[in-house]
Protein backbone atom coordinates (compact mmCIF):
# COMPACT_ATOMS: atom_id res chain seq x y z
CA UNK A 1 0.00 0.00 0.00
CA UNK A 2 1.86 3.07 -1.27
CA UNK A 3 -1.06 5.47 -1.10
CA UNK A 4 -0.94 6.24 2.64
CA UNK A 5 2.17 6.73 4.74
CA UNK A 6 2.02 6.69 8.53
CA UNK A 7 4.52 8.05 11.04
CA UNK A 8 4.47 8.46 14.81
CA UNK A 9 5.95 10.96 17.23
CA UNK A 10 5.84 9.99 20.92
CA UNK A 11 6.11 12.96 23.28
CA UNK A 12 6.31 10.73 26.34
CA UNK A 13 4.97 7.30 27.13
CA UNK A 14 1.37 8.50 26.88
CA UNK A 15 0.99 11.22 24.23
CA UNK A 16 1.44 10.30 20.57
CA UNK A 17 1.12 12.29 17.35
CA UNK A 18 0.12 10.17 14.35
CA UNK A 19 0.72 11.58 10.87
CA UNK A 20 -1.15 10.23 7.84
CA UNK A 21 0.25 11.37 4.49
CA UNK A 22 -1.63 11.03 1.23
CA UNK A 23 0.36 11.57 -1.99
CA UNK A 24 2.00 14.90 -1.12
CA UNK A 25 -1.46 16.47 -1.27
CA UNK A 26 -2.92 16.02 2.22
CA UNK A 27 -1.20 15.22 5.51
CA UNK A 28 -3.24 14.99 8.72
CA UNK A 29 -1.64 14.75 12.17
CA UNK A 30 -3.78 13.42 15.02
CA UNK A 31 -3.04 13.29 18.74
CA UNK A 32 -4.52 11.06 21.41
CA UNK A 33 -4.40 14.06 23.77
CA UNK A 34 -7.93 15.40 23.37
CA UNK A 35 -8.68 13.01 20.46
CA UNK A 36 -7.37 15.89 18.38
CA UNK A 37 -6.55 16.94 14.86
CA UNK A 38 -3.32 18.82 15.52
CA UNK A 39 -2.20 19.79 12.02
CA UNK A 40 -3.38 19.53 8.40
CA UNK A 41 -0.93 20.14 5.59
CA UNK A 42 -2.72 20.66 2.29
CA UNK A 43 -1.42 21.41 -1.19
CA UNK A 44 -2.45 24.47 -3.19
CA UNK A 45 -2.72 24.87 -6.98
CA UNK A 46 1.06 25.42 -7.18
CA UNK A 47 1.84 22.23 -5.19
CA UNK A 48 2.79 24.09 -1.99
CA UNK A 49 2.11 21.94 1.07
CA UNK A 50 1.26 24.21 4.00
CA UNK A 51 -0.47 23.92 7.37
CA UNK A 52 -4.11 25.04 7.12
CA UNK A 53 -4.89 24.76 10.85
CA UNK A 54 -4.19 27.63 13.23
CA UNK A 55 -3.00 26.34 16.59
CA UNK A 56 -0.36 26.99 19.24
CA UNK A 57 3.09 25.49 18.60
CA UNK A 58 3.42 21.86 19.68
CA UNK A 59 5.17 22.46 23.01
CA UNK A 60 2.63 25.16 23.96
CA UNK A 61 -0.28 23.13 22.57
CA UNK A 62 0.56 20.21 24.84
CA UNK A 63 0.10 22.32 27.97
CA UNK A 64 -2.25 25.10 26.85
CA UNK A 65 -4.05 24.38 23.59
CA UNK A 66 -7.31 26.18 24.48
CA UNK A 67 -9.30 23.51 22.62
CA UNK A 68 -7.55 24.04 19.25
CA UNK A 69 -8.15 20.91 17.16
CA UNK A 70 -9.50 18.97 20.12
CA UNK A 71 -12.77 17.27 20.89
CA UNK A 72 -14.64 19.57 23.23
CA UNK A 73 -16.90 17.56 25.49
CA UNK A 74 -18.85 15.99 26.98
CA UNK A 75 -20.76 19.28 26.74
CA UNK A 76 -19.49 21.97 24.33
CA UNK A 77 -20.75 25.51 24.71
CA UNK A 78 -22.11 27.57 27.57
CA UNK A 79 -24.89 26.29 29.84
CA UNK A 80 -26.92 27.63 32.73
CA UNK A 81 -26.68 24.57 34.97
CA UNK A 82 -29.62 24.99 37.38
CA UNK A 83 -29.92 21.96 39.65
CA UNK A 84 -28.12 19.56 37.31
CA UNK A 85 -24.94 19.31 39.34
CA UNK A 86 -22.85 20.27 36.29
CA UNK A 87 -19.61 21.99 37.21
CA UNK A 88 -19.69 25.79 37.09
CA UNK A 89 -16.16 26.01 35.74
CA UNK A 90 -16.82 29.53 34.41
CA UNK A 91 -19.08 30.77 37.19
CA UNK A 92 -22.01 30.94 36.99
CA UNK A 93 -22.01 28.69 33.88
CA UNK A 94 -20.72 25.33 32.70
CA UNK A 95 -18.29 25.82 29.80
CA UNK A 96 -16.80 23.42 27.22
CA UNK A 97 -16.82 20.18 29.21
CA UNK A 98 -15.59 21.53 32.52
CA UNK A 99 -12.14 21.57 34.11
CA UNK A 100 -11.57 17.89 33.24
CA UNK A 101 -13.15 17.98 29.78
CA UNK A 102 -12.37 15.62 26.90
CA UNK A 103 -9.75 17.98 25.44
CA UNK A 104 -7.56 17.20 28.48
CA UNK A 105 -7.98 13.41 28.35
CA UNK A 106 -5.34 11.09 26.89
CA UNK A 107 -7.56 8.75 24.84
CA UNK A 108 -6.81 5.16 23.88
CA UNK A 109 -5.85 4.99 20.21
CA UNK A 110 -6.05 2.32 17.53
CA UNK A 111 -5.34 2.51 13.80
CA UNK A 112 -6.73 0.52 10.88
CA UNK A 113 -5.21 0.91 7.44
CA UNK A 114 -6.56 -0.39 4.15
CA UNK A 115 -6.18 0.44 0.46
CA UNK A 116 -8.76 3.21 0.40
CA UNK A 117 -8.53 4.79 3.86
CA UNK A 118 -6.89 5.00 7.26
CA UNK A 119 -9.03 5.00 10.40
CA UNK A 120 -7.79 6.51 13.66
CA UNK A 121 -10.07 5.51 16.56
CA UNK A 122 -9.97 7.08 19.99
CA UNK A 123 -11.86 5.70 22.99
CA UNK A 124 -12.46 6.89 26.53
CA UNK A 125 -14.69 5.41 29.24
CA UNK A 126 -16.02 6.56 32.59
CA UNK A 127 -18.63 5.08 34.90
CA UNK A 128 -21.24 7.16 33.02
CA UNK A 129 -20.42 6.42 29.39
CA UNK A 130 -18.18 4.85 26.78
CA UNK A 131 -17.09 7.36 24.12
CA UNK A 132 -15.45 6.87 20.72
CA UNK A 133 -14.12 9.42 18.25
CA UNK A 134 -13.41 7.87 14.86
CA UNK A 135 -11.54 9.78 12.18
CA UNK A 136 -11.21 8.42 8.64
CA UNK A 137 -8.89 9.87 5.98
CA UNK A 138 -9.82 8.42 2.60
CA UNK A 139 -8.26 8.37 -0.87
CA UNK A 140 -10.71 11.03 -2.08
CA UNK A 141 -9.29 13.56 0.38
CA UNK A 142 -12.11 13.46 2.88
CA UNK A 143 -11.62 13.65 6.64
CA UNK A 144 -14.66 12.13 8.33
CA UNK A 145 -15.26 12.46 12.07
CA UNK A 146 -17.79 10.26 13.85
CA UNK A 147 -18.52 10.59 17.54
CA UNK A 148 -20.37 7.78 19.32
CA UNK A 149 -21.22 7.74 23.01
CA UNK A 150 -23.02 4.92 24.83
CA UNK A 151 -24.19 6.20 28.23
CA UNK A 152 -24.73 3.83 31.16
CA UNK A 153 -26.94 6.44 32.86
CA UNK A 154 -28.70 9.64 31.83
CA UNK A 155 -26.01 12.13 30.85
CA UNK A 156 -25.63 15.38 28.89
CA UNK A 157 -23.63 15.14 25.66
CA UNK A 158 -22.87 17.77 23.02
CA UNK A 159 -19.30 17.21 21.77
CA UNK A 160 -17.68 19.08 18.89
CA UNK A 161 -14.27 19.66 17.32
CA UNK A 162 -12.61 23.05 17.66
CA UNK A 163 -10.28 23.16 14.63
CA UNK A 164 -9.34 26.65 13.45
CA UNK A 165 -8.96 26.68 9.66
CA UNK A 166 -6.81 29.12 7.70
CA UNK A 167 -6.31 28.34 4.01
CA UNK A 168 -3.55 30.95 3.59
CA UNK A 169 -1.01 28.43 4.86
CA UNK A 170 0.24 31.01 7.36
CA UNK A 171 -1.58 31.99 10.54
CA UNK A 172 -0.05 35.47 10.25
CA UNK A 173 -2.41 36.13 7.33
CA UNK A 174 -6.01 36.52 8.56
CA UNK A 175 -8.93 34.71 6.94
CA UNK A 176 -10.48 38.02 5.89
CA UNK A 177 -9.40 37.16 2.31
CA UNK A 178 -11.37 33.87 2.34
CA UNK A 179 -14.72 33.12 0.73
CA UNK A 180 -17.31 31.48 2.96
CA UNK A 181 -20.71 29.94 2.41
CA UNK A 182 -23.04 28.49 5.04
CA UNK A 183 -26.34 26.74 4.46
CA UNK A 184 -28.20 28.73 7.12
CA UNK A 185 -30.78 31.50 7.19
CA UNK A 186 -31.24 31.63 10.96
CA UNK A 187 -29.13 32.23 14.02
CA UNK A 188 -29.68 31.76 17.76
CA UNK A 189 -30.02 34.93 19.81
CA UNK A 190 -27.24 35.08 22.37
CA UNK A 191 -26.66 37.39 25.32
CA UNK A 192 -23.50 37.28 27.44
CA UNK A 193 -22.48 34.22 25.42
CA UNK A 194 -25.63 32.29 26.35
CA UNK A 195 -28.30 31.22 23.88
CA UNK A 196 -31.51 32.88 25.11
CA UNK A 197 -34.17 30.83 23.33
CA UNK A 198 -34.42 27.53 21.52
CA UNK A 199 -36.10 29.37 18.63
CA UNK A 200 -33.63 30.82 16.14
CA UNK A 201 -34.17 34.24 14.55
CA UNK A 202 -33.65 35.32 10.94
CA UNK A 203 -29.96 35.82 10.30
CA UNK A 204 -28.99 39.53 10.28
CA UNK A 205 -27.77 40.69 6.87
CA UNK A 206 -24.11 41.01 7.83
CA UNK A 207 -24.07 37.47 9.28
CA UNK A 208 -25.76 35.98 6.19
CA UNK A 209 -23.48 33.71 4.17
CA UNK A 210 -26.05 31.74 2.19
CA UNK A 211 -24.19 32.66 -0.99
CA UNK A 212 -20.40 32.44 -1.21
CA UNK A 213 -19.30 35.69 0.43
CA UNK A 214 -16.06 37.47 1.13
CA UNK A 215 -14.98 37.53 4.79
CA UNK A 216 -13.35 40.95 4.31
CA UNK A 217 -16.33 42.44 6.19
CA UNK A 218 -15.41 40.69 9.48
CA UNK A 219 -13.79 43.77 11.10
CA UNK A 220 -16.91 45.90 10.48
CA UNK A 221 -18.90 43.78 12.97
CA UNK A 222 -15.97 42.51 15.09
CA UNK A 223 -16.06 38.95 13.73
CA UNK A 224 -18.43 36.02 14.02
CA UNK A 225 -19.08 34.15 17.27
CA UNK A 226 -22.54 32.73 16.69
CA UNK A 227 -24.57 29.55 16.58
CA UNK A 228 -26.25 29.04 13.21
CA UNK A 229 -29.15 26.67 12.63
CA UNK A 230 -28.30 24.63 9.55
CA UNK A 231 -30.69 24.01 6.68
CA UNK A 232 -31.38 20.61 5.19
CA UNK A 233 -28.01 20.31 3.42
CA UNK A 234 -26.22 20.98 6.71
CA UNK A 235 -23.20 22.24 4.83
CA UNK A 236 -20.68 25.00 4.33
CA UNK A 237 -17.76 25.97 2.10
CA UNK A 238 -14.49 27.71 2.90
CA UNK A 239 -12.42 28.74 -0.13
CA UNK A 240 -9.23 30.68 -0.75
CA UNK A 241 -9.73 33.08 -3.69
CA UNK A 242 -6.39 32.46 -5.44
CA UNK A 243 -4.42 29.46 -4.12
CA UNK A 244 -7.24 27.03 -4.93
CA UNK A 245 -7.69 25.47 -1.50
CA UNK A 246 -11.28 24.64 -0.64
CA UNK A 247 -12.96 22.75 2.21
CA UNK A 248 -16.58 21.63 2.09
CA UNK A 249 -18.24 20.69 5.38
CA UNK A 250 -21.20 18.36 5.84
CA UNK A 251 -22.71 17.24 9.12
CA UNK A 252 -25.55 15.21 10.62
CA UNK A 253 -25.89 17.82 13.38
CA UNK A 254 -28.50 20.60 13.39
CA UNK A 255 -26.30 23.61 14.12
CA UNK A 256 -22.79 24.98 13.93
CA UNK A 257 -20.82 27.54 15.93
CA UNK A 258 -18.77 29.79 13.68
CA UNK A 259 -15.99 31.63 15.50
CA UNK A 260 -13.41 33.79 13.73
CA UNK A 261 -10.72 34.17 16.44
CA UNK A 262 -11.91 37.65 17.35
CA UNK A 263 -9.37 38.22 20.14
CA UNK A 264 -5.62 37.44 19.89
CA UNK A 265 -4.49 34.90 22.50
CA UNK A 266 -1.07 34.75 24.10
CA UNK A 267 -0.42 31.07 23.36
CA UNK A 268 -1.36 31.38 19.66
CA UNK A 269 1.98 32.68 18.46
CA UNK A 270 5.23 31.87 16.68
CA UNK A 271 8.64 33.24 17.69
CA UNK A 272 6.95 35.50 20.26
CA UNK A 273 4.75 37.05 17.58
CA UNK A 274 1.01 36.77 18.23
CA UNK A 275 -1.20 35.50 15.44
CA UNK A 276 -3.48 38.38 14.46
CA UNK A 277 -7.18 38.79 15.02
CA UNK A 278 -9.26 36.72 12.52
CA UNK A 279 -6.40 34.28 11.86
CA UNK A 280 -8.68 31.23 12.03
CA UNK A 281 -12.29 30.19 11.56
CA UNK A 282 -14.01 27.29 13.35
CA UNK A 283 -16.85 25.16 12.10
CA UNK A 284 -18.03 23.58 15.37
CA UNK A 285 -20.87 21.23 14.46
CA UNK A 286 -23.12 20.55 17.45
CA UNK A 287 -26.56 20.92 18.98
CA UNK A 288 -27.36 24.52 19.99
CA UNK A 289 -26.02 25.02 23.52
CA UNK A 290 -27.86 26.05 26.69
CA UNK A 291 -30.70 23.61 25.99
CA UNK A 292 -30.05 20.66 28.29
CA UNK A 293 -33.26 18.84 27.31
CA UNK A 294 -31.96 18.63 23.75
CA UNK A 295 -28.68 16.97 24.75
CA UNK A 296 -29.92 14.48 27.34
CA UNK A 297 -28.83 10.98 26.36
CA UNK A 298 -29.07 7.61 28.07
CA UNK A 299 -28.76 3.82 27.71
CA UNK A 300 -31.69 3.64 25.27
CA UNK A 301 -30.78 6.93 23.55
CA UNK A 302 -27.06 6.87 22.64
CA UNK A 303 -25.24 9.79 20.98
CA UNK A 304 -24.03 9.64 17.39
CA UNK A 305 -22.87 12.37 15.00
CA UNK A 306 -20.92 12.54 11.76
CA UNK A 307 -19.13 15.50 10.17
CA UNK A 308 -17.13 15.29 6.94
CA UNK A 309 -14.52 17.77 5.74
CA UNK A 310 -13.82 17.39 1.99
CA UNK A 311 -10.61 18.93 0.62
CA UNK A 312 -10.34 20.04 -2.99
CA UNK A 313 -8.15 22.26 -5.15
CA UNK A 314 -9.46 24.75 -7.69
CA UNK A 315 -7.11 25.58 -10.57
CA UNK A 316 -6.59 29.04 -12.07
CA UNK A 317 -9.47 28.55 -14.51
CA UNK A 318 -11.76 28.08 -11.49
CA UNK A 319 -12.51 24.49 -12.41
CA UNK A 320 -13.35 22.66 -9.22
CA UNK A 321 -11.81 19.23 -9.10
CA UNK A 322 -10.78 16.94 -6.32
CA UNK A 323 -7.21 17.05 -5.11
CA UNK A 324 -6.87 13.65 -6.81
CA UNK A 325 -6.31 15.26 -10.20
CA UNK A 326 -3.77 17.75 -8.98
Amino acid sequence: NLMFELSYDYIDKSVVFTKISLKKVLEVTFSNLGASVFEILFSDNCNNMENILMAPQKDTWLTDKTFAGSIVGPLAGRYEVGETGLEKNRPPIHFHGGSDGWDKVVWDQSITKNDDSVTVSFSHSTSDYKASVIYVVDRNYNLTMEILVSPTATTYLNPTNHMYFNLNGSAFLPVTNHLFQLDSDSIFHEKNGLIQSSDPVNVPEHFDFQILSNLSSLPTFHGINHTYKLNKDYSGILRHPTNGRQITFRTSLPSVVIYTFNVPQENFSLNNQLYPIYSGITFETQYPANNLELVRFGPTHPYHSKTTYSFSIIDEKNDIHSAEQN
Side-chain angles (χ1 to χ4, degrees), residues 53-73:
L53 291 189
M54 194 271 294
Q57 297 302 293
K58 190 178 277 188
D59 53 348
T60 309
W61 184 89
L62 284 162
T63 55
D64 187 15
K65 60 174 140 16
T66 65
F67 309 108
S70 296
I71 295 293
V72 182

Side-chain angles (χ1 to χ4, degrees), residues 16-194:
V16 60
F17 289 85
T18 302
K19 183 184 292 182
I20 298 171
S21 305
L22 182 54
K23 289 187 175 173
K24 297 194 172 121
V25 173
L26 184 66
E27 192 173 280
V28 185
T29 301
F30 299 94
S31 178
N32 62 339
L33 176 60
S36 303
V37 181
F38 171 68
E39 187 175 72
I40 298 176
L41 299 186
F42 183 36
S43 179
D44 66 4
N45 52 22
C46 297
N47 300 319
N48 298 308
M49 287 282 282
E50 292 170 311
N51 183 19
I52 60 161
L53 291 189
M54 194 271 294
Q57 297 302 293
K58 190 178 277 188
D59 53 348
T60 309
W61 184 89
L62 284 162
T63 55
D64 187 15
K65 60 174 140 16
T66 65
F67 309 108
S70 296
I71 295 293
V72 182
L75 206 51
R78 298 174 176 84
Y79 292 82
E80 296 168 292
V81 300
E83 303 301 310
T84 58
L86 285 165
E87 178 193 10
K88 296 178 185 175
N89 59 309
R90 276 210 188 163
I93 62 168
H94 177 80
F95 178 71
H96 269 9
S99 54
D100 58 352
W102 287 357
D103 60 296
K104 299 168 189 71
V105 170
V106 176
W107 295 59
D108 295 328
Q109 173 177 309
S110 67
I111 292 172
T112 312
K113 184 178 173 184
N114 64 37
D115 289 347
D116 295 327
S117 63
V118 178
T119 301
V120 182
S121 302
F122 297 107
S123 58
H124 167 59
S125 297
T126 71
S127 56
D128 292 332
Y129 56 78
K130 183 178 179 193
S132 305
V133 180
I134 300 164
Y135 295 102
V136 179
V137 179
D138 70 38
R139 63 183 298 169
N140 296 319
Y141 305 96
N142 298 306
L143 168 60
T144 303
M145 174 181 74
E146 275 193 88
I147 305 176
L148 303 101
V149 190
S150 303
T152 53
T154 298
T155 188
Y156 299 110
L157 298 164
N158 192 13
T160 190
N161 188 300
H162 208 305
M163 283 181 267
Y164 286 101
F165 293 100
N166 182 328
L167 301 182
N168 287 307
S170 165
F172 287 113
L173 300 171
V175 298
T176 44
N177 61 350
H178 287 31
L179 301 170
F180 180 55
Q181 181 176 353
L182 190 65
D183 187 32
S184 170
D185 56 14
S186 55
I187 206 164
F188 290 90
H189 174 60
E190 298 181 34
K191 188 175 174 185
N192 302 327
L194 284 165

Side-chain angles (χ1 to χ4, degrees), residues 212-227:
L212 199 62
S213 308
N214 203 303
L215 288 178
S216 58
S217 59
L218 286 178
T220 61
F221 47 84
H222 310 296
I224 309 169
N225 186 13
H226 292 80
T227 305

